[in-house]
Amino acid sequence: MDTYTIDVELEHYYGDRMATSSREACRRFYLRAVSRCNATELERYLRVVKAHASVYSSVHHMFRSPFKHVELPLFLTSLVLFISSLVMIFTGATSVLIAGGISAGFLGMVQCARQLIRNWQQHSVREAVFSEFAEFLQQETTR
């Protein structure tokens, strides 16, 4: 039982959880686990998968922060471009270059904000799914 197998199993669980209910996804995981391991290895396998799910949950919790993504510096750069172009317009300088700076700054901010929101949503959902799965496995191993 290697890390790749466990990662694939967790991705299967995540896909099942997004498509079906929690109970059905756990049932499918348990069926795959029973078919993969014999009775003596099953408890160890469940402990290892629980540990991996807990780690995945904490990693996705960390990645929810916008400071961990490249879009934040791009957003700030677009903001500076937008503000500097506005300042130049209010000081009396008007040109095609300044109009391009305003539009590029605004579109850059919008795109980066959309990507940051998308990343935040994706990592929040993955964190919730993997923490729920770790709790399920904790209940299974204590029985």
Coordinates of all heavy atoms in Angstrom, one line a residue, residues 45-132:
Y45 N -4.9 -0.1 7.0 CA -5.2 0.7 5.8 C -6.2 1.8 6.1 O -5.9 3.0 5.7 CB -5.9 -0.2 4.7 CG -6.3 0.5 3.5 CD1 -5.3 0.9 2.6 CD2 -7.6 0.7 3.2 CE1 -5.6 1.5 1.4 CE2 -7.9 1.3 2.0 CZ -7.0 1.8 1.1 OH -7.3 2.4 0.0
L46 N -7.2 1.6 6.9 CA -8.1 2.7 7.3 C -7.4 3.7 8.1 O -7.7 4.9 8.0 CB -9.3 2.1 8.1 CG -10.3 1.2 7.3 CD1 -11.3 0.7 8.2 CD2 -10.9 2.0 6.1
R47 N -6.5 3.4 9.0 CA -5.7 4.3 9.8 C -4.9 5.2 8.9 O -4.8 6.4 9.1 CB -4.9 3.7 10.9 CG -5.6 3.3 12.1 CD -4.7 2.8 13.2 NE -4.5 1.4 13.0 CZ -3.3 0.9 12.8 NH1 -2.2 1.7 12.9 NH2 -3.1 -0.4 12.6
V48 N -4.2 4.6 7.9 CA -3.3 5.3 7.0 C -4.1 6.3 6.1 O -3.8 7.4 5.9 CB -2.5 4.4 6.1 CG1 -1.8 5.1 5.0 CG2 -1.5 3.6 7.0
V49 N -5.3 5.8 5.6 CA -6.1 6.7 4.8 C -6.7 7.8 5.7 O -6.8 9.0 5.2 CB -7.3 5.9 4.2 CG1 -8.3 6.8 3.5 CG2 -6.7 4.9 3.2
K50 N -7.0 7.6 6.9 CA -7.5 8.6 7.8 C -6.4 9.7 8.0 O -6.7 10.9 8.0 CB -7.9 8.1 9.2 CG -8.4 9.1 10.1 CD -8.7 8.6 11.5 CE -7.5 8.4 12.4 NZ -6.9 9.6 12.8
A51 N -5.2 9.2 8.2 CA -4.1 10.2 8.4 C -3.9 11.0 7.1 O -3.7 12.3 7.2 CB -2.8 9.4 8.7
H52 N -4.0 10.4 6.0 CA -3.8 11.2 4.7 C -5.0 12.1 4.5 O -4.8 13.3 4.1 CB -3.8 10.2 3.5 CG -2.4 9.6 3.3 ND1 -1.6 10.1 2.2 CD2 -1.7 8.7 3.9 CE1 -0.5 9.4 2.2 NE2 -0.5 8.6 3.2
A53 N -6.2 11.7 4.9 CA -7.4 12.6 4.7 C -7.2 13.8 5.7 O -7.6 15.0 5.3 CB -8.7 11.9 5.0
S54 N -6.7 13.6 6.9 CA -6.5 14.7 7.8 C -5.5 15.7 7.3 O -5.6 16.9 7.4 CB -6.1 14.2 9.2 OG -7.0 13.4 9.7
V55 N -4.4 15.1 6.7 CA -3.4 16.0 6.2 C -3.9 16.8 5.0 O -3.6 18.0 4.8 CB -2.1 15.2 5.8 CG1 -1.2 16.0 4.9 CG2 -1.4 14.7 7.0
Y56 N -4.6 16.1 4.1 CA -5.2 16.8 3.0 C -6.2 17.9 3.4 O -6.2 19.0 2.8 CB -6.0 15.8 2.1 CG -5.2 15.1 1.1 CD1 -3.9 14.8 1.3 CD2 -5.8 14.6 0.0 CE1 -3.1 14.1 0.4 CE2 -5.1 13.8 -1.0 CZ -3.7 13.6 -0.7 OH -3.0 12.9 -1.6
S57 N -6.9 17.7 4.5 CA -7.8 18.7 5.0 C -7.0 19.9 5.5 O -7.4 21.0 5.2 CB -8.7 18.1 6.1 OG -9.4 19.1 6.7
S58 N -6.0 19.7 6.2 CA -5.2 20.8 6.7 C -4.4 21.5 5.6 O -4.3 22.8 5.6 CB -4.2 20.3 7.8 OG -3.2 19.5 7.2
V59 N -4.0 20.8 4.6 CA -3.4 21.5 3.4 C -4.4 22.4 2.7 O -4.1 23.5 2.3 CB -2.8 20.4 2.5 CG1 -2.4 21.1 1.1 CG2 -1.5 19.8 3.1
H60 N -5.6 21.9 2.5 CA -6.6 22.7 1.8 C -7.0 23.9 2.7 O -7.4 24.9 2.2 CB -7.8 21.8 1.3 CG -7.4 21.0 0.2 ND1 -7.2 21.5 -1.1 CD2 -7.2 19.7 0.0 CE1 -6.9 20.6 -1.9 NE2 -6.9 19.4 -1.3
H61 N -7.0 23.7 4.0 CA -7.3 24.8 4.9 C -6.2 25.9 4.7 O -6.6 27.1 4.7 CB -7.3 24.3 6.3 CG -7.5 25.5 7.3 ND1 -8.8 26.0 7.5 CD2 -6.7 26.1 8.1 CE1 -8.7 27.0 8.4 NE2 -7.4 27.1 8.8
M62 N -5.0 25.5 4.6 CA -3.9 26.5 4.3 C -4.1 27.2 3.0 O -3.9 28.4 2.9 CB -2.5 25.8 4.4 CG -1.4 26.7 4.1 SD 0.2 25.8 3.9 CE -0.1 25.1 2.3
F63 N -4.5 26.4 2.0 CA -4.6 27.0 0.6 C -5.8 27.9 0.5 O -6.0 28.5 -0.6 CB -4.6 25.9 -0.4 CG -3.2 25.5 -0.8 CD1 -2.9 24.2 -0.9 CD2 -2.2 26.4 -1.1 CE1 -1.6 23.8 -1.2 CE2 -0.9 26.1 -1.5 CZ -0.6 24.7 -1.5
R64 N -6.7 27.9 1.4 CA -7.9 28.8 1.3 C -7.4 30.3 1.4 O -8.1 31.2 0.9 CB -8.8 28.6 2.5 CG -9.7 27.4 2.3 CD -10.8 27.4 3.3 NE -10.5 28.0 4.6 CZ -11.3 28.0 5.6 NH1 -12.4 27.4 5.5 NH2 -10.9 28.5 6.7
S65 N -6.3 30.5 2.0 CA -5.8 31.9 2.2 C -5.4 32.5 0.8 O -4.7 31.8 0.1 CB -4.5 31.9 3.1 OG -3.9 33.2 3.1
P66 N -5.8 33.7 0.5 CA -5.4 34.3 -0.8 C -3.9 34.6 -0.9 O -3.4 34.8 -2.0 CB -6.2 35.5 -0.9 CG -6.6 35.8 0.5 CD -6.7 34.5 1.3
F67 N -3.2 34.6 0.3 CA -1.8 34.9 0.3 C -0.9 33.8 -0.2 O 0.2 33.9 -0.4 CB -1.4 35.4 1.7 CG -2.1 36.6 2.2 CD1 -3.0 36.5 3.2 CD2 -1.9 37.8 1.6 CE1 -3.7 37.6 3.6 CE2 -2.5 38.9 2.0 CZ -3.4 38.8 3.1
K68 N -1.5 32.6 -0.5 CA -0.8 31.5 -0.9 C -0.9 31.3 -2.4 O -0.4 30.3 -2.9 CB -1.4 30.2 -0.2 CG -1.4 30.2 1.2 CD 0.0 30.2 1.8 CE -0.2 30.1 3.3 NZ 1.0 30.5 4.0
H69 N -1.5 32.2 -3.1 CA -1.7 32.0 -4.6 C -1.0 33.2 -5.3 O -0.9 34.3 -4.8 CB -3.2 32.0 -4.9 CG -3.9 30.9 -4.3 ND1 -3.8 29.6 -4.7 CD2 -4.7 30.8 -3.2 CE1 -4.6 28.8 -4.0 NE2 -5.1 29.5 -3.0
V70 N -0.7 32.9 -6.6 CA 0.0 33.9 -7.4 C -1.0 35.0 -7.8 O -0.5 36.1 -8.2 CB 0.6 33.2 -8.6 CG1 -0.4 32.8 -9.6 CG2 1.7 34.1 -9.3
E71 N -2.2 34.8 -7.7 CA -3.2 35.8 -8.2 C -3.2 37.1 -7.3 O -3.5 38.2 -7.8 CB -4.6 35.3 -8.2 CG -4.9 34.3 -9.3 CD -4.4 32.9 -9.0 OE1 -4.2 32.6 -7.9 OE2 -4.3 32.1 -10.0
L72 N -2.8 37.0 -6.1 CA -2.8 38.2 -5.2 C -1.8 39.2 -5.7 O -2.1 40.4 -5.8 CB -2.6 37.8 -3.7 CG -2.7 39.0 -2.8 CD1 -4.1 39.5 -2.8 CD2 -2.3 38.6 -1.4
P73 N -0.5 38.8 -5.9 CA 0.4 39.8 -6.5 C -0.1 40.4 -7.8 O 0.1 41.6 -8.1 CB 1.7 39.1 -6.6 CG 1.6 37.9 -5.7 CD 0.2 37.6 -5.6
L74 N -0.7 39.5 -8.6 CA -1.2 40.0 -9.9 C -2.3 41.0 -9.7 O -2.4 42.0 -10.4 CB -1.6 38.8 -10.8 CG -0.5 37.9 -11.3 CD1 -1.1 36.7 -12.0 CD2 0.4 38.7 -12.2
F75 N -3.2 40.7 -8.7 CA -4.3 41.6 -8.4 C -3.7 43.0 -8.0 O -4.2 44.0 -8.4 CB -5.2 41.0 -7.3 CG -6.3 41.9 -6.9 CD1 -7.4 42.0 -7.6 CD2 -6.2 42.7 -5.8 CE1 -8.5 42.8 -7.3 CE2 -7.2 43.5 -5.4 CZ -8.4 43.6 -6.1
L76 N -2.7 42.9 -7.1 CA -2.2 44.2 -6.6 C -1.5 45.0 -7.7 O -1.5 46.2 -7.7 CB -1.2 43.9 -5.4 CG -1.9 43.3 -4.2 CD1 -0.8 42.9 -3.1 CD2 -2.9 44.3 -3.6
T77 N -0.8 44.3 -8.6 CA -0.2 45.0 -9.7 C -1.2 45.6 -10.6 O -1.0 46.8 -11.1 CB 0.7 43.9 -10.5 OG1 1.6 43.3 -9.7 CG2 1.4 44.6 -11.7
S78 N -2.3 44.9 -10.9 CA -3.4 45.5 -11.7 C -4.0 46.7 -10.9 O -4.3 47.7 -11.6 CB -4.4 44.5 -11.9 OG -3.9 43.4 -12.7
L79 N -4.1 46.6 -9.6 CA -4.6 47.7 -8.9 C -3.7 49.0 -9.0 O -4.2 50.1 -9.2 CB -4.8 47.3 -7.4 CG -5.4 48.4 -6.5 CD1 -6.8 48.7 -6.8 CD2 -5.3 47.9 -5.0
V80 N -2.4 48.7 -8.9 CA -1.5 49.9 -9.0 C -1.6 50.5 -10.4 O -1.6 51.7 -10.6 CB 0.0 49.4 -8.7 CG1 1.0 50.4 -9.1 CG2 0.1 49.1 -7.2
L81 N -1.6 49.6 -11.4 CA -1.8 50.1 -12.8 C -3.1 50.9 -13.0 O -3.1 52.0 -13.6 CB -1.8 49.0 -13.8 CG -1.9 49.3 -15.3 CD1 -0.8 50.1 -15.7 CD2 -2.0 48.0 -16.1
F82 N -4.2 50.4 -12.4 CA -5.4 51.1 -12.5 C -5.4 52.5 -11.8 O -5.8 53.5 -12.3 CB -6.5 50.2 -11.9 CG -7.9 50.8 -12.0 CD1 -8.6 50.8 -13.2 CD2 -8.5 51.3 -10.9 CE1 -9.9 51.4 -13.3 CE2 -9.8 51.9 -11.0 CZ -10.5 51.9 -12.2
I83 N -4.9 52.5 -10.6 CA -4.8 53.8 -9.8 C -3.9 54.8 -10.4 O -4.2 56.0 -10.6 CB -4.4 53.5 -8.3 CG1 -5.6 52.7 -7.6 CG2 -4.1 54.7 -7.6 CD1 -5.2 52.2 -6.3
S84 N -2.7 54.3 -10.9 CA -1.8 55.2 -11.6 C -2.4 55.8 -12.8 O -2.1 57.0 -13.2 CB -0.4 54.6 -11.8 OG -0.6 53.5 -12.7
S85 N -3.1 55.0 -13.6 CA -3.8 55.5 -14.8 C -4.8 56.6 -14.4 O -5.0 57.6 -15.1 CB -4.4 54.4 -15.6 OG -3.4 53.5 -16.0
L86 N -5.6 56.3 -13.4 CA -6.6 57.3 -13.0 C -5.9 58.6 -12.5 O -6.4 59.7 -12.8 CB -7.4 56.7 -11.8 CG -8.5 55.7 -12.2 CD1 -9.2 55.2 -11.0 CD2 -9.5 56.3 -13.2
V87 N -4.8 58.5 -11.8 CA -4.1 59.7 -11.3 C -3.6 60.5 -12.5 O -3.7 61.7 -12.6 CB -2.9 59.3 -10.4 CG1 -2.0 60.5 -10.2 CG2 -3.5 58.8 -9.1
M88 N -3.1 59.8 -13.6 CA -2.6 60.5 -14.8 C -3.8 61.2 -15.5 O -3.6 62.3 -16.0 CB -1.9 59.5 -15.7 CG -0.6 59.1 -15.1 SD 0.3 58.0 -16.1 CE 0.9 59.1 -17.4
I89 N -5.0 60.6 -15.5 CA -6.1 61.2 -16.2 C -6.5 62.5 -15.4 O -6.8 63.5 -16.0 CB -7.3 60.2 -16.3 CG1 -7.1 59.3 -17.4 CG2 -8.6 61.0 -16.5 CD1 -8.2 58.3 -17.6
F90 N -6.5 62.4 -14.1 CA -7.0 63.5 -13.3 C -5.9 64.7 -13.3 O -6.2 65.8 -12.9 CB -7.3 63.1 -11.8 CG -8.6 62.4 -11.7 CD1 -8.6 61.1 -11.1 CD2 -9.8 62.9 -12.3 CE1 -9.8 60.4 -11.0 CE2 -10.9 62.1 -12.2 CZ -11.0 60.9 -11.6
T91 N -4.7 64.4 -13.6 CA -3.7 65.4 -13.7 C -3.7 66.1 -15.1 O -2.9 67.0 -15.3 CB -2.3 64.9 -13.4 OG1 -1.9 63.8 -14.3 CG2 -2.2 64.4 -12.0
G92 N -4.5 65.5 -16.0 CA -4.6 66.2 -17.3 C -4.0 65.4 -18.5 O -4.2 65.8 -19.6
A93 N -3.3 64.4 -18.2 CA -2.7 63.6 -19.3 C -3.7 62.6 -19.8 O -4.2 61.8 -19.1 CB -1.4 62.9 -18.8
T94 N -4.0 62.7 -21.1 CA -4.9 61.7 -21.7 C -4.3 61.2 -23.0 O -3.8 61.9 -23.8 CB -6.3 62.4 -22.1 OG1 -6.1 63.4 -22.9 CG2 -7.0 62.8 -20.8
S95 N -4.3 59.9 -23.1 CA -3.7 59.3 -24.3 C -4.3 57.9 -24.4 O -5.0 57.4 -23.5 CB -2.2 59.2 -24.3 OG -1.8 58.3 -23.3
V96 N -4.0 57.2 -25.5 CA -4.5 55.9 -25.7 C -3.8 54.9 -24.7 O -4.4 53.9 -24.2 CB -4.2 55.4 -27.2 CG1 -4.6 54.0 -27.4 CG2 -4.9 56.3 -28.1
L97 N -2.5 55.2 -24.4 CA -1.8 54.4 -23.5 C -2.4 54.4 -22.1 O -2.5 53.4 -21.4 CB -0.3 54.9 -23.4 CG 0.6 54.1 -22.5 CD1 0.7 52.7 -23.1 CD2 2.0 54.7 -22.5
I98 N -2.9 55.5 -21.6 CA -3.5 55.6 -20.3 C -4.9 54.9 -20.3 O -5.2 54.2 -19.4 CB -3.7 57.1 -19.9 CG1 -2.3 57.7 -19.7 CG2 -4.5 57.2 -18.6 CD1 -2.3 59.2 -19.5
A99 N -5.6 55.1 -21.4 CA -6.9 54.3 -21.5 C -6.7 52.8 -21.5 O -7.4 52.1 -20.9 CB -7.6 54.7 -22.8
G100 N -5.6 52.4 -22.2 CA -5.2 51.0 -22.2 C -4.8 50.5 -20.8 O -5.1 49.4 -20.3
G101 N -4.1 51.4 -20.0 CA -3.7 51.1 -18.7 C -4.9 50.9 -17.7 O -5.0 50.0 -16.9
I102 N -5.9 51.8 -17.9 CA -7.1 51.7 -17.1 C -7.9 50.4 -17.4 O -8.3 49.7 -16.5 CB -8.0 52.9 -17.3 CG1 -7.4 54.1 -16.6 CG2 -9.4 52.7 -16.8 CD1 -8.2 55.4 -16.8
S103 N -8.1 50.1 -18.6 CA -8.8 48.9 -19.0 C -8.1 47.7 -18.6 O -8.6 46.7 -18.1 CB -9.2 48.9 -20.5 OG -8.0 48.9 -21.3
A104 N -6.7 47.7 -18.8 CA -6.0 46.5 -18.4 C -5.9 46.3 -16.9 O -6.1 45.2 -16.4 CB -4.5 46.6 -19.0
G105 N -5.8 47.4 -16.2 CA -5.8 47.3 -14.7 C -7.2 46.8 -14.2 O -7.2 45.9 -13.3
F106 N -8.2 47.3 -14.8 CA -9.6 46.9 -14.3 C -9.8 45.4 -14.6 O -10.3 44.7 -13.8 CB -10.6 47.8 -14.9 CG -12.0 47.4 -14.5 CD1 -12.4 47.7 -13.2 CD2 -12.9 46.8 -15.3 CE1 -13.7 47.4 -12.8 CE2 -14.2 46.5 -14.9 CZ -14.6 46.8 -13.6
L107 N -9.6 45.0 -15.9 CA -9.8 43.6 -16.3 C -8.9 42.7 -15.5 O -9.3 41.6 -15.1 CB -9.6 43.5 -17.8 CG -10.6 44.1 -18.7 CD1 -10.3 43.9 -20.1 CD2 -12.0 43.5 -18.4
G108 N -7.6 43.1 -15.2 CA -6.7 42.3 -14.4 C -7.2 42.1 -13.0 O -7.2 40.9 -12.5
M109 N -7.8 43.1 -12.4 CA -8.3 43.0 -11.1 C -9.5 42.1 -11.1 O -9.7 41.2 -10.2 CB -8.7 44.4 -10.5 CG -7.5 45.2 -10.2 SD -8.0 46.8 -9.3 CE -9.2 47.5 -10.4
V110 N -10.4 42.2 -12.0 CA -11.6 41.4 -12.1 C -11.2 39.9 -12.3 O -11.7 39.0 -11.6 CB -12.5 41.9 -13.2 CG1 -13.6 40.9 -13.5 CG2 -13.1 43.2 -12.9
Q111 N -10.3 39.6 -13.2 CA -9.9 38.2 -13.5 C -9.2 37.6 -12.2 O -9.5 36.5 -11.9 CB -9.0 38.1 -14.7 CG -9.7 38.4 -16.0 CD -10.7 37.3 -16.3 OE1 -10.9 36.3 -15.6 NE2 -11.4 37.5 -17.4
C112 N -8.3 38.4 -11.6 CA -7.6 37.8 -10.5 C -8.6 37.6 -9.3 O -8.5 36.7 -8.6 CB -6.5 38.8 -10.1 SG -5.1 38.8 -11.2
A113 N -9.5 38.6 -9.1 CA -10.5 38.4 -8.0 C -11.4 37.2 -8.3 O -11.6 36.4 -7.3 CB -11.4 39.6 -7.9
R114 N -11.8 37.0 -9.5 CA -12.6 35.8 -9.8 C -11.8 34.5 -9.6 O -12.3 33.5 -9.0 CB -13.0 35.8 -11.3 CG -14.1 36.8 -11.6 CD -14.5 36.9 -13.0 NE -15.0 35.6 -13.4 CZ -15.0 35.2 -14.7 NH1 -14.5 35.9 -15.6 NH2 -15.6 34.0 -15.0
Q115 N -10.5 34.5 -9.9 CA -9.7 33.3 -9.7 C -9.5 33.1 -8.2 O -9.5 31.9 -7.8 CB -8.4 33.4 -10.5 CG -7.5 32.1 -10.4 CD -8.2 30.9 -11.0 OE1 -8.9 31.1 -12.1 NE2 -8.0 29.8 -10.5
L116 N -9.2 34.1 -7.5 CA -9.1 34.0 -6.0 C -10.3 33.4 -5.4 O -10.2 32.6 -4.5 CB -8.7 35.3 -5.4 CG -7.2 35.7 -5.6 CD1 -7.0 37.2 -5.1 CD2 -6.3 34.8 -4.8
I117 N -11.5 33.9 -5.8 CA -12.7 33.4 -5.2 C -12.9 31.9 -5.6 O -13.3 31.1 -4.8 CB -13.9 34.2 -5.7 CG1 -13.8 35.6 -5.1 CG2 -15.2 33.6 -5.4 CD1 -14.8 36.6 -5.6
R118 N -12.6 31.6 -6.9 CA -12.7 30.2 -7.3 C -11.8 29.3 -6.5 O -12.2 28.2 -6.1 CB -12.4 30.1 -8.8 CG -12.8 28.8 -9.4 CD -12.5 28.8 -10.9 NE -13.2 29.9 -11.6 CZ -12.7 30.8 -12.4 NH1 -11.4 30.7 -12.7 NH2 -13.4 31.7 -13.0
N119 N -10.5 29.7 -6.3 CA -9.6 28.9 -5.5 C -10.1 28.8 -4.0 O -10.0 27.7 -3.4 CB -8.2 29.6 -5.4 CG -7.5 29.4 -6.7 OD1 -7.8 28.5 -7.5 ND2 -6.5 30.3 -7.0
W120 N -10.6 29.9 -3.5 CA -11.1 29.8 -2.1 C -12.3 28.8 -2.0 O -12.3 28.0 -1.0 CB -11.6 31.2 -1.7 CG -12.2 31.2 -0.3 CD1 -11.5 31.2 0.9 CD2 -13.6 31.3 0.0 NE1 -12.4 31.2 1.9 CE2 -13.7 31.3 1.4 CE3 -14.7 31.4 -0.8 CZ2 -14.9 31.4 2.0 CZ3 -15.9 31.5 -0.1 CH2 -16.0 31.5 1.3
Q121 N -13.2 28.8 -2.9 CA -14.3 27.9 -2.9 C -13.9 26.5 -3.1 O -14.3 25.6 -2.3 CB -15.3 28.3 -4.0 CG -16.1 29.5 -3.8 CD -17.0 29.9 -5.0 OE1 -16.7 29.5 -6.1 NE2 -18.0 30.6 -4.7
Q122 N -13.0 26.2 -4.0 CA -12.5 24.9 -4.3 C -11.8 24.3 -3.0 O -12.1 23.2 -2.6 CB -11.6 24.9 -5.5 CG -10.9 23.5 -5.7 CD -9.9 23.6 -6.8 OE1 -9.5 24.6 -7.2 NE2 -9.4 22.4 -7.2
H123 N -10.9 25.1 -2.4 CA -10.2 24.6 -1.3 C -11.1 24.4 0.0 O -10.9 23.6 0.8 CB -9.0 25.4 -1.0 CG -7.9 25.3 -2.1 ND1 -7.3 24.1 -2.3 CD2 -7.4 26.2 -2.9 CE1 -6.4 24.3 -3.3 NE2 -6.5 25.5 -3.7
S124 N -12.1 25.3 0.1 CA -13.0 25.2 1.2 C -13.8 23.9 1.1 O -14.0 23.2 2.1 CB -14.0 26.4 1.2 OG -13.3 27.5 1.5
V125 N -14.3 23.6 -0.1 CA -15.1 22.4 -0.3 C -14.2 21.1 -0.1 O -14.6 20.2 0.6 CB -15.7 22.3 -1.7 CG1 -16.3 21.0 -2.1 CG2 -16.8 23.4 -1.8
R126 N -13.0 21.1 -0.6 CA -12.1 20.0 -0.4 C -11.7 19.8 1.0 O -11.7 18.7 1.5 CB -10.9 20.1 -1.3 CG -11.2 19.9 -2.8 CD -10.0 20.0 -3.7 NE -9.2 18.8 -3.7 CZ -9.4 17.8 -4.5 NH1 -10.4 17.8 -5.3 NH2 -8.6 16.7 -4.5
E127 N -11.5 20.9 1.7 CA -11.2 20.8 3.2 C -12.4 20.2 3.9 O -12.2 19.3 4.8 CB -10.9 22.2 3.8 CG -10.7 22.1 5.3 CD -10.7 23.5 5.9 OE1 -11.0 24.5 5.2 OE2 -10.5 23.5 7.1
A128 N -13.6 20.6 3.6 CA -14.8 20.1 4.3 C -15.0 18.6 4.0 O -15.3 17.8 4.9 CB -16.0 20.8 3.9
V129 N -14.8 18.2 2.7 CA -15.0 16.8 2.4 C -13.9 15.9 3.0 O -14.3 14.9 3.6 CB -14.9 16.6 0.8 CG1 -14.7 15.2 0.4 CG2 -16.1 17.2 0.2
F130 N -12.7 16.3 3.0 CA -11.6 15.5 3.6 C -11.7 15.4 5.2 O -11.4 14.4 5.8 CB -10.3 15.9 3.2 CG -10.0 15.6 1.7 CD1 -9.5 16.5 0.9 CD2 -10.2 14.3 1.2 CE1 -9.2 16.2 -0.5 CE2 -10.0 14.0 -0.1 CZ -9.5 14.9 -0.9
S131 N -12.1 16.5 5.8 CA -12.3 16.5 7.3 C -13.5 15.6 7.6 O -13.4 14.8 8.6 CB -12.5 17.9 7.8 OG -13.6 18.5 7.3
E132 N -14.6 15.7 6.8 CA -15.7 14.8 7.0 C -15.3 13.3 6.9 O -15.7 12.4 7.7 CB -16.8 15.1 6.0 CG -18.0 14.2 6.0 CD -18.9 14.5 4.9 OE1 -18.5 14.2 3.7 OE2 -20.0 15.0 5.1

